[in-house]
Structures are given as C-alpha cells and as structure tokens.
Amino acid sequence: MSMKKKAILLWCAFVVCLISTVVMWFVVDAQEIEYEEVKVRVISAVTREYRNYSTGSYYDFHEVTVEYNGETYELENAYNTYQYPQGATVKAYLANNGRLFANIEGVSTSTPLATVYFVCVFGSLGLLVVAAIYSTKVKQEKMAR
C-alpha cells in the first residue's frame, strides 16, 4: 500500500474516532449514574510523595482508608488528605459497583461508558499525530521527485 493511501486511511480513521468521541461525550453526559451518598469513618489518610525519575519531578498520591458498614475501603478520587482527619465522619459516594469515591465525578468517570469515551479521546489524539506524520512524509516524497 502506498504512503498516500495510508495517510488517507489514517485521516479517515481519525475523523471516525473524532466523531465517536463527540458522540460518546454526549452519551456519558446524559447517562444516569447510580450511587448512594453515605457517611464513612476515616481510618487513615496518608500522602505519599513519588518521584518521576524520567522528568525528575515529584507528585503526591493520597491514600485515604475508610470504614463503611464494618468493611474497609480505599476512598478513590481523594485530592488531599487534610479533609480526612483520622476518626472523622465524612461524606462519600458508594457506586453501584461497590467502590467508594470522594466525589461524584469519580463515580461518573469510573463507568464503562466513560472508559470508552477516554479510549476514543486518546485514540483520536494518537491518530491525529500519526496521520500528520504520514501526510508530512507524503509531501516530502512529492518534493523529492
């Protein structure tokens, strides 16, 4: 297959993926997420600092452990630990998949539809880059003739 045909196919795949991304955004936005607002007791809240050795930068990871109905859960989507003092009772969101989240956004982005949406977003970006690279190569081949 010629380089030009590959470039055209990649651009077509990008457009399809981009349209899918837009459609999935509306679908995810309109979905009815099922969750229950619950009160949980904080067992521990620790901020761990990790280093990205490739860039040399550091980032924080917040580990918040809570108790709900006698079971221990890792509270997902916690953006800090100061809101979760040990022994305090705080609000959390219990998703229908049995996971506890610190906010509603965490519940909505953990659904299968949201996962498909994110795959479409990153697929679109990847296809855009690859299609642009192939188009550049086609132009360079034309100029070399």
Side-chain angles (χ1 to χ4, degrees):
M1 183 182 296
S2 72
M3 190 75 76
K4 185 176 179 178
K5 285 183 182 179
K6 286 181 185 177
I8 291 170
L9 284 175
L10 284 167
W11 282 112
C12 291
F14 164 71
V15 170
V16 168
C17 202
L18 185 64
I19 291 169
S20 300
T21 301
V22 172
V23 168
M24 285 307 299
W25 183 85
F26 285 108
V27 170
V28 168
D29 191 48
Q31 77 177 335
E32 290 290 324
I33 51 174
E34 295 180 25
Y35 65 91
E36 180 182 350
E37 189 175 301
V38 296
K39 295 289 184 183
V40 298
R41 188 175 64 79
V42 177
I43 296 173
S44 69
V46 178
T47 300
R48 298 193 192 284
E49 188 176 78
Y50 293 100
R51 182 174 184 208
N52 183 338
Y53 288 102
S54 62
T55 63
S57 62
Y58 291 88
Y59 63 95
D60 292 335
F61 183 74
H62 308 291
E63 296 175 357
V64 180
T65 306
V66 297
E67 180 185 15
Y68 174 68
N69 281 349
E71 291 186 42
T72 303
Y73 292 87
E74 190 69 35
L75 188 63
E76 300 181 45
N77 250 32
Y79 295 120
N80 58 55
T81 53
Y82 65 83
Q83 287 181 306
Y84 305 100
Q86 186 174 358
T89 301
V90 296
K91 182 175 27 174
Y93 300 91
L94 180 64
N96 63 350
N97 58 7
R99 295 164 56 189
L100 272 173
F101 292 91
N103 52 42
I104 297 171
E105 291 79 17
V107 177
S108 63
T109 58
S110 71
T111 63
L113 285 176
T115 303
V116 171
Y117 166 72
F118 289 120
V119 167
C120 289
V121 167
F122 292 117
S124 295
L125 290 173
L127 284 169
L128 175 64
V129 169
V130 174
I133 289 169
Y134 269 82
S135 294
T136 303
K137 287 183 179 181
V138 168
K139 257 190 182 172
Q140 287 174 347
E141 280 182 357
K142 277 186 181 179
M143 291 177 74
R145 291 184 200 163

